[in-house]
Amino acid sequence: MSIERVMRCGIRENPPALGFEFVKAGRLCHCSVDICAVSVDTTADDICRKLRETKPQLTDAVDAAELRHAVQMLLNFLSAGGAATVSKAAAKADWANNIDLNRASNEIVNKAKEDMDEAFQRSRITKDDPNWVYDKEVDFGDGEEDSGWD
């Protein structure tokens, strides 16, 4: 059975991946394709070409411009410093590699909880921290570019 149509294409930042929502045999399905080997010289066209070679059944059903836009958004995130964060997190936590924690063993779930708690404690700002602000409010505006989902 082949994919009838792709409904949406988006990105996941950690670990970096492209997400696809598509209809196959009348059922709504989801699939994510991890984008691991990205260097500074990698372009969106390179990744799109590789995806079309390795996942033709999925990528042939996606509009080329939409696929390229999603890949470019992911590359923008990675080039803005997301790559260091992502590679550290992926190397440290093997549970983050597409394992469903709802169905995982207690040992894997506990490891995931420990890793998440450790990351939370590192980024937490307490009253003793010089960057702490009481009742901080941030205005993010309307955004600079279209998210591609609407």
Side-chain angles (χ1 to χ4, degrees):
M1 290 181 216
S2 64
I3 294 173
E4 296 167 20
R5 71 181 185 276
V6 174
M7 306 296 287
R8 294 191 287 184
C9 175
I11 66 169
R12 180 183 67 205
E13 295 174 342
N14 191 2
L18 291 174
F20 297 93
E21 184 178 85
F22 56 93
V23 176
K24 183 175 184 177
R27 294 181 54 197
L28 184 64
C29 303
H30 297 91
C31 173
S32 66
V33 179
D34 291 337
I35 309 294
C36 299
V38 178
S39 69
V40 178
D41 301 328
T42 305
T43 66
D45 292 328
D46 294 337
I47 294 174
C48 289
R49 185 172 31 262
K50 185 70 172 176
L51 285 171
R52 292 203 184 276
E53 291 171 4
T54 58
K55 305 279 186 190
Q57 190 178 33
L58 184 61
T59 55
D60 288 349
V62 179
D63 179 52
E66 183 179 3
L67 179 63
R68 189 179 188 299
H69 177 70
V71 170
Q72 189 61 54
M73 284 176 56
L74 186 59
L75 288 176
N76 290 345
F77 165 74
L78 293 173
S79 66
T85 306
V86 169
S87 61
K88 285 180 187 174
K92 183 174 182 184
D94 56 353
W95 55 265
N97 294 327
N98 296 328
I99 294 176
D100 184 359
L101 292 176
N102 290 319
R103 297 182 179 159
S105 69
N106 286 338
E107 181 180 296
I108 292 175
V109 171
N110 289 335
K111 173 70 172 139
K113 287 180 178 180
E114 287 174 16
D115 291 346
M116 288 186 274
D117 189 48
E118 186 179 306
F120 171 77
Q121 293 300 333
R122 274 195 316 270
S123 61
R124 181 177 170 194
I125 297 177
T126 63
K127 289 183 179 181
D128 301 332
D129 193 299
N131 294 328
W132 184 79
V133 177
Y134 177 77
D135 196 21
K136 183 175 184 176
E137 292 184 23
V138 178
D139 181 21
F140 293 100
D142 293 335
E144 296 176 10
E145 62 182 55
D146 182 26
S147 66
W149 284 91
D150 299 329

